[in-house]
Amino acid sequence: IMAIANLLALLDDIATVLDDISLMTQAAAKKTAAVMGDDLAVNAEKVIGVRPNRELPVVWAVAKGSLLNKVILVPAAVLVAGIAPWLITPALVCGGLFLCFEGAEKLLHSVHKHTEQEAEARLQPLADESVDLVALEKKKIRGAVRTDFILSLEIIVLTLAVVEASSWPTQLGVLAGISLLMTIGVYGLVAGIVKVDDLGVYLLDTADGDFQRGVGRGLVRFAPRLMQALSLLGTVAMFLVGGGILLHASHELEHLLTAPLIEFGLNSGIAPTLVGGLLGLLVGLLLAVVFAGVSAVRTRLTA
């Protein structure tokens, strides 16, 4: 009888923990929804310039890399939160600086090329037989996984803020749930987005009426515009997320920069986002200029 009572008590404790995990996962999902949206835009943009028949394999490869990121980050975050929580902010700041720099690199690159010329430049390697397409894919995958690591780190830290007062099993369960939800949601949508044009072509090939042909033509025309929009959103997202990380790392700086805008009448929810984006843009451009200067000096020294 005692053994049965202990088993029932254990099952009750497990049910309580699972219930806590479910509730906290919902709360964390709401808090990290904006970052997940940024993650979607950034990763969908990364697939541009891949052969159509290789789009889904590339998305799958990035998704596997993303899962590996979470396998590393989730237990590491729980461990660091318990042993050295002060390390979380510096790690986030480094990630924020990287996102700002990468966004500025993309922005500066696009300034020197017209949109159509840039699109042709991205697609040119696909028609050039001398280009190693396998190496090109691997480069894109590495870049996407690297960016995913930073965005995943922010999502995990934001989730930790929701569960910081909970036991470590609950923290681990919520973090694992959010990580799985994020990976399936983001890369499932990315896979759908990159195949919009293929769906349009399929409808055109199998059309048996004007309506189906019209939908097919509409999807084919819409796909490149969608990818261009996602490319722009991906760049903006890097500044918003990176700058937001830098802004939130210092409450004094956040108050100093946002208080005047709020007093001026700007919404208190919009002000930090706007200031964070501008801060990310300025910091990214500064880092890009410094990096270009260092590269130029290094080139001269080695010449």
Side-chain angles (χ1 to χ4, degrees):
I1 295 176
M2 182 64 70
I4 294 175
N6 290 336
L7 177 60
L8 292 176
L10 177 61
L11 292 175
D12 183 63
D13 290 341
I14 293 174
T16 301
V17 171
L18 291 177
D19 187 54
D20 291 342
I21 289 174
S22 176
L23 292 174
M24 291 184 181
T25 300
Q26 293 178 26
K30 293 178 181 178
K31 192 170 183 178
T32 58
V35 184
M36 289 186 185
D38 295 338
D39 199 7
L40 170 63
V42 171
N43 282 288
E45 187 271 336
K46 291 285 186 182
V47 185
I48 296 176
V50 176
R51 289 173 297 175
N53 66 321
R54 293 293 303 164
E55 287 172 341
L56 291 183
V58 168
V59 172
W60 172 237
V62 178
K64 288 190 292 184
S66 178
L67 283 173
L68 180 59
N69 285 341
K70 275 74 166 183
V71 169
I72 296 170
L73 286 172
V74 168
V78 174
L79 184 63
V80 170
I83 297 176
W86 56 269
L87 281 175
I88 293 177
T89 298
L92 268 179
V93 169
C94 291
L97 290 172
F98 170 77
L99 285 177
C100 294
F101 170 73
E102 191 172 59
E105 286 277 279
K106 287 181 59 182
L107 182 62
L108 293 173
H109 177 72
S110 64
V111 166
H112 293 90
K113 288 190 176 182
H114 190 272
T115 304
E116 292 182 1
Q117 293 175 336
E118 184 177 4
E120 290 177 3
R122 289 188 176 198
L123 295 176
Q124 187 177 5
L126 304 184
D128 189 349
E129 295 182 357
S130 65
V131 173
D132 187 347
L133 295 180
V134 174
L136 182 66
E137 284 186 6
K138 289 181 178 179
K139 182 179 178 181
K140 284 183 170 292
I141 291 168
R142 285 196 301 269
V145 172
R146 187 170 59 243
T147 302
D148 175 273
F149 187 89
I150 305 300
L151 293 171
S152 297
L153 177 61
E154 187 188 14
I155 288 173
I156 287 171
V157 172
L158 289 173
T159 304
L160 270 178
V162 176
V163 298
E164 60 182 348
S166 304
S167 62
W168 72 264
T170 301
Q171 291 181 357
L172 198 58
V174 173
L175 288 171
I178 283 292
S179 297
L180 191 60
L181 176 66
M182 180 184 71
T183 304
I184 294 174
V186 167
Y187 291 99
L189 286 172
V190 169
I193 289 170
V194 299
K195 301 311 289 183
V196 168
D197 54 346
D198 289 344
L199 176 60
V201 172
Y202 172 79
L203 290 175
L204 285 172
D205 290 341
T206 60
D208 56 2
D210 292 338
F211 176 76
Q212 189 173 336
R213 277 191 291 271
V215 173
R217 281 193 296 268
L219 289 176
V220 170
R221 292 171 182 170
F222 173 69
R225 293 180 174 85
L226 175 62
M227 296 307 291
Q228 288 176 1
L230 287 173
S231 178
L232 175 62
L233 288 174
T235 303
V236 173
M238 288 180 181
F239 292 130
L240 291 176
V241 176
I245 290 173
L246 300 179
L247 189 65
H248 298 324
S250 171
H251 295 295
E252 293 79 8
L253 178 64
E254 183 175 10
H255 178 73
L256 177 66
L257 295 178
T258 59
L261 294 177
I262 295 174
E263 291 177 3
F264 186 72
L266 192 64
N267 184 281
S268 59
I270 297 176
T273 302
L274 178 61
V275 172
L278 292 174
L279 178 64
L281 174 61
L282 293 175
V283 170
L285 290 174
L286 178 61
L287 289 174
V289 170
V290 171
F291 181 80
V294 172
S295 298
V297 171
R298 183 180 299 175
T299 301
R300 289 181 182 178
L301 292 175
T302 55

